Amino acid sequence: MPNSATQTPPASQSNAKINASQRIPVVQIATPSAKIHVREQKGVFQRLRQHSNTLLIALFFLLPFINYQGRQAILFDVTEQQFFFFNLTLWPQDFTVLAWFFMAAAFALFFVTVYWGRVWCGFLCPQTAWTFIYMWIEANIEGNHHHRAALDKAPWSISKLRKRLTKHALWIVFALLTGCGFISYFMPARELYMDIFTASSGFWTGAWVWFFAICTYLNAGWMREMMCLHCCPYSRFQAVMFDANTKTVSYDAARGESRGPRKRAQKTELGDCVDCNLCVDVCPTGIDIRNGLQYECINCGACVDACNQTMEKFGYAPNLISFTSENALKSQPQASVFSLKGLGYASALLIMISLIIIDLSQLSHIQLNVIRDRQTLYREVGVDRVENSYQLKIRNKTQQAAVYQIAVRSNKTPSLTIVTDTVVQINPGEQLDYPVTVSGRRSERVDDTSQQTLQFSVTQINSVANSTPVEPENQVTQQSRFFWP
């Protein structure tokens, strides 16, 4: 029998000694196997999220169907190694522009995070958008969060089997559409959808579509919050961008504690939090925002809308949970808008944008590569002439057929001329291997050196009959060597 000195007092006596203002909230951590049934919520931030997600998904599916000058406007043509973006064509050697673009997007994300936290995750992240689409499908088939939880616990029946089969069938269809939508940026969209849904696509095309379809089905249908909690690296390093002025979804503990249930219009010494637990029920990652800032929070604002509705019912002031900063909660003055961290990310963003502009302005629409004939350095023709042979690889990097004028120039021997035809026409995206013979007079050699530098130039002109250059910058040059006996 235990010693009476070690016995604990009854629960009623123990609770009586604890003042309501000293209550410590209990943190309930869901087990990894527990499924989160998110409660449906309406409100300002949920409407904003729905509109932004709808726009994102619509753009994702519709952009590949936009045509420009008879071609898909946005297309990563892996086979031809070209990236088409309306009238811009990028080749592998031009992909530094894409590198600057992705770096600029990263710094823009970091800049926004400094001031607004993880608003990208809550309102624009594809994982969030697709997860809410799958949750919407699930809610329309299986009912609200109470019905879904009850269905999970219910024994298998014809009704349960029918609902589950219908839900997963629609999930798979939407996943397949998503796979087609992603691959349509790499293949012509209209042919791709037709081939996939008529089962006439090639093996690798179908394999890639189904690969991304399966990824979508697993991520948005099964993993959901696990992607945000365990797989997304952004949630792990986001805290280094936060400071005391970063606006995140936060709970005003000074106003809300001590929390506790009460009736409407009832006078109480408790804080404004009525402990309804709605902020937990509507959270897509299943956290309790009242426990403070947590890396799992994606700043979707669902708990803000839920809490504001409750505050309105009880006649309390709104924004017990709101988008606010640590300094604002402590009633401390806000620091300057231009923080050192924000200025750093803004400077990096401006540098990336400048590099994109510079690269695009210096982008050449012609590619030229000159290869000398390695077998024969020169040929003597007649008494006074010497010829050298070259292979010119000229690529038309535009999306229209173009006519080009080939020329050669040398400061030492002005009489160097091209024997072959100097005007060529090249189709869009085509590379022309064009043999060229350059001839020079031996009597006009300036010195006795066996070789000299010459320069080939290729200029886009209006037509075969009109040799006026289209634009001065549509010209490319490359140096080579001319050999003498």
Side-chain angles (χ1 to χ4, degrees):
M1 184 174 180
N3 193 319
S4 59
T6 62
Q7 291 180 356
T8 58
S12 60
Q13 298 179 12
S14 177
N15 292 338
K17 298 178 182 179
I18 301 178
N19 188 276
S21 62
Q22 297 175 327
R23 290 182 184 175
I24 301 175
V26 177
V27 181
Q28 295 180 348
I29 302 176
T31 59
S33 59
K35 182 178 179 180
I36 298 176
H37 293 285
V38 181
R39 182 189 181 104
E40 296 74 22
Q41 179 60 45
K42 296 181 180 180
V44 175
F45 292 107
Q46 295 319 290
R47 285 195 298 272
L48 178 60
R49 179 192 56 76
Q50 290 169 3
H51 293 333
S52 61
N53 287 352
T54 301
L55 178 62
L56 172 71
I57 294 174
L59 288 175
F60 172 78
F61 283 110
L62 295 179
L63 281 178
F65 287 94
I66 299 175
N67 276 7
Y68 181 80
Q69 295 183 350
R71 182 192 295 273
Q72 187 169 316
I74 302 175
L75 178 65
F76 287 87
D77 195 333
V78 179
T79 305
E80 299 296 332
Q81 298 182 351
Q82 301 176 59
F83 169 43
F84 299 101
F85 187 81
F86 291 90
N87 66 334
L88 177 67
T89 304
L90 296 180
W91 296 78
Q93 61 270 26
D94 304 322
F95 275 13
T96 53
V97 177
L98 291 182
W100 304 136
F101 173 79
F102 287 121
M103 293 174 68
F107 283 115
L109 176 61
F110 300 160
F111 176 77
V112 172
T113 303
V114 170
Y115 295 99
W116 290 96
R118 293 181 65 181
V119 291
W120 161 265
C121 297
F123 295 90
L124 290 173
C125 177
Q127 173 68 23
T128 302
W130 263 253
T131 295
F132 274 100
I133 283 289
Y134 273 57
M135 289 166 55
W136 178 80
I137 294 173
E138 186 177 52
N140 278 273
I141 295 173
E142 296 183 354
N144 61 30
H145 65 293
H146 291 305
H147 294 157
R148 297 196 299 271
L151 188 65
D152 284 347
K153 298 176 182 178
W156 281 99
S157 62
I158 298 298
S159 176
K160 181 176 181 177
L161 180 62
R162 176 180 55 80
K163 290 181 179 179
R164 289 293 163 88
L165 288 177
T166 304
K167 178 184 73 173
H168 286 282
L170 291 177
W171 279 3
I172 292 172
V173 170
F174 194 78
L176 184 58
L177 287 172
T178 303
C180 290
F182 186 82
I183 299 300
S184 63
Y185 286 89
F186 300 87
M187 299 183 63
R190 290 170 173 79
E191 292 83 350
L192 174 67
Y193 280 90
M194 185 66 67
D195 291 344
I196 290 296
F197 286 97
T198 58
S200 58
S201 66
F203 171 78
W204 285 111
T205 300
W208 280 112
V209 168
W210 277 104
F211 170 77
F212 287 103
I214 292 171
C215 289
T216 303
Y217 173 74
L218 294 177
N219 290 348
W222 293 90
M223 298 183 69
R224 293 186 180 177
E225 74 280 354
M226 294 301 164
M227 292 295 297
C228 302
L229 300 181
H230 305 297
C231 300
C232 177
Y234 183 49
S235 63
R236 301 294 176 174
F237 64 78
Q238 58 158 339
V240 301
M241 304 174 210
F242 288 2
D243 56 32
N245 297 301
T246 302
K247 293 183 182 296
T248 60
V249 174
S250 304
Y251 167 67
D252 190 350
R255 174 187 157 192
E257 300 298 330
S258 263
R259 71 186 74 156
R262 80 288 308 262
K263 295 180 180 179
R264 298 184 189 180
Q266 177 186 355
K267 294 184 178 181
T268 177
E269 295 181 357
L270 296 174
D272 284 358
C273 179
V274 301
D275 206 14
C276 61
N277 219 45
L278 286 179
C279 56
V280 180
D281 293 341
V282 301
C283 179
T285 57
I287 65 170
D288 190 341
I289 195 62
R290 296 171 295 180
N291 294 328
L293 180 63
Q294 299 153 72
Y295 79 89
E296 296 93 341
C297 177
I298 62 172
N299 273 23
C300 65
C303 56
V304 179
D305 288 330
C307 187
N308 281 341
Q309 286 184 3
T310 301
M311 293 295 102
E312 183 180 0
K313 291 178 181 178
F314 279 82
Y316 297 156
N319 295 328
L320 177 60
I321 301 175
S322 64
F323 280 89
T324 188
S325 65
E326 181 182 344
N327 281 341
L329 286 176
K330 295 179 180 179
S331 299
Q332 295 181 356
Q334 296 283 325
S336 173
V337 176
F338 302 102
S339 65
L340 183 61
K341 194 178 296 184
L343 287 174
Y345 290 131
S347 300
L349 175 59
L350 290 176
I351 291 173
M352 294 301 111
I353 294 175
S354 301
L355 289 173
I356 293 174
I357 295 174
I358 292 172
D359 264 13
L360 289 177
S361 63
Q362 295 179 349
L363 201 63
S364 174
H365 299 298
I366 314 168
Q367 181 182 346
L368 172 64
N369 190 20
V370 180
I371 303 174
R372 274 193 47 82
D373 186 352
R374 301 295 184 183
Q375 297 180 351
T376 305
L377 292 180
Y378 61 87
R379 294 188 303 271
E380 296 186 62
V381 181
V383 179
D384 195 37
R385 285 205 169 269
V386 177
E387 294 181 348
N388 283 206
S389 297
Y390 304 86
Q391 188 80 5
L392 271 58
K393 295 181 178 294
I394 309 170
R395 184 184 294 277
N396 176 8
K397 296 170 65 177
T398 68
Q399 300 178 21
Q400 298 84 28
V403 181
Y404 299 99
Q405 175 82 51
I406 305 172
V408 66
R409 181 172 60 86
S410 174
N411 294 329
K412 292 186 176 182
T413 309
S415 65
L416 288 181
T417 57
I418 297 177
V419 177
T420 49
D421 194 0
T422 59
V423 177
V424 294
Q425 182 170 345
I426 307 178
N427 293 325
E430 181 181 299
Q431 176 175 288
L432 176 65
D433 293 341
Y434 192 66
V436 169
T437 300
V438 178
S439 174
R441 293 183 180 275
R442 188 186 306 183
S443 58
E444 295 182 0
R445 289 174 61 182
V446 177
D447 49 39
D448 293 333
T449 56
S450 61
Q451 57 181 297
Q452 69 180 68
T453 302
L454 77 165
Q455 187 177 66
F456 284 95
S457 65
V458 176
T459 307
Q460 183 179 352
I461 59 177
N462 287 294
S463 64
V464 176
N466 185 2
S467 60
T468 305
V470 176
E471 294 178 5
E473 60 267 21
N474 281 4
Q475 183 185 71
V476 63
T477 61
Q478 184 173 335
Q479 290 185 348
S480 187
R481 294 284 183 176
F482 187 90
F483 285 85
W484 298 97

